[in-house]
Amino acid sequence: MYASCGQYQSAVKVFEVMPNRDLVTWNSVINGFALNGKPSEALALYQKMDLDGLKPDGFTMVSLFSACSKLGALALGRRAHVYMVKVGLDKNLHSVNALLDFYAKCGCTKDAKRVFNEMVERNVVSWTSLIVGLAVNGYGSEALKYFKQMEAEKWLPSEITFVGVLYACSHCGMVDEGFRYFDKIKQYYGIVPQIEHHGCMVDLLARAGKVKQAHDYIQQMPMQPNSVIWRTLLGACTKFGHVELAEVARAKLLHLEPKHSGDYVLMSNLYASERRWSDAHKARKSMLEEGVAKIRGHSLVELGNQVHEFHTGDRTHPQSEEIYAKLVEVTKRLRLEGHVAHTGHVYADIEEEEKENALVHHSEKIAVALMLVCSPPGTPIRVFNNLRICGDCHVVIKLMSKVYGREITVRDCSRFHHFRDGSCSCGDYW
């Protein structure tokens, strides 16, 4: 109960004083941590359980794969997959669905498809996990292909399945297809579209640059739009330079969720991009006055059996000297390729040289540099970001994949970017 409610310290206290702990006890605490934003603690408990000689069951594997996917702990997840096959849990539908979801959330779509194709039994969750997984990895057309196959085999899609379908259309710029699928939800399947589906439609229009149409859609929704929908519009206004509509969205967000730091940052960035430095300063100042803390960006990368975490400008890593030397080398090599830093993504009234230095030290670049230093040539690199990747990092990592011959996968807060040979799976539509 404590673990499921997120009361971690209370859960651990009860757990530690128990004279006897069986598999159900371990599963309860591990699952509670995995579901409530404590994946590191879930993995630590699993490893302790393993040392105590208890063998995991299907419930353990579901929690374990959930924790691994949130941390990007691919190596540990692969070992769990081997164990699962060894003890026969690969016939457990819930465990295999969790495995499929794990591979998709780690950006390993080939592995996810292989697991799906080898399943002796499937359910709607299996289809949905694959469709959503392909969509967030930027393979929208393939996600829709599997949805059509699902329909052909007479499976009834769920509300979540259609979220994946609409997400695929949104992130691939398929506006007309998105509206056709949206109409199908109610007319063909009799499902009443929920706010998540309407949110996908707003995102579909906003990403395509149809910001005014997105605002019109919001005004015609059959339910009150939530903060996520208004924030989607605000993000699009920032990207496409719609100041007036941004201020409308911001006013709504101040009423719905006044303490969200990202909204202050988006407005500040929009004003800065328009060179309205006074308004940008006011937005930042009001954030401080309201006591709103900016979410600190970080990047995770797995090396061996350890997950390394970096923040922007981070120099706490034992190999920082080598990492920053590698970043200097990267900058020189990319300049030879014709790269010029996208300083327009630094929304501050400072000199160009200062902007370039700020961009070089973004956390995802530091994480990639560590892997270039410590892993053999040709080894794939996987980076997990808690915030959206910036435009300059996107361009730089594309070039790094070409210059250094690496496949680089970056998962940010909304999707995956698979960089290979100088191009990205998103097709620069993100």
Side-chain angles (χ1 to χ4, degrees), residues 192-205:
V192 178
Q194 301 300 305
I195 195 164
E196 293 81 8
H197 302 108
H198 289 288
C200 286
M201 300 309 291
V202 173
D203 189 56
L204 176 73
L205 291 166

Side-chain angles (χ1 to χ4, degrees), residues 294-364:
K294 181 181 177 182
I295 297 173
R296 192 180 184 192
H298 68 256
S299 297
L300 304 175
V301 65
E302 186 180 29
L303 180 61
N305 294 322
Q306 186 177 357
V307 176
H308 300 258
E309 180 178 356
F310 295 98
H311 296 91
T312 297
D314 201 328
R315 290 183 180 271
T316 60
H317 195 276
Q319 292 175 272
S320 284
E321 190 173 332
E322 296 169 79
I323 291 169
Y324 279 85
K326 177 60 72 173
L327 285 173
V328 171
E329 175 202 305
V330 167
T331 301
K332 290 178 180 178
R333 290 190 64 173
L334 296 194
R335 279 177 180 163
L336 293 176
E337 293 288 322
H339 173 254
V340 177
H342 288 215
T343 55
H345 297 289
V346 179
Y347 299 107
D349 190 15
I350 56 177
E351 297 298 324
E352 287 297 303
E353 186 177 350
E354 291 179 81
K355 291 183 178 182
E356 288 186 26
N357 289 334
L359 288 170
V360 168
H361 299 152
H362 279 188
S363 62
E364 49 266 66

Side-chain angles (χ1 to χ4, degrees), residues 234-249:
L234 177 57
C237 290
T238 302
K239 180 178 180 180
F240 295 105
H242 290 262
V243 177
E244 289 185 9
L245 275 181
E247 290 172 340
V248 170

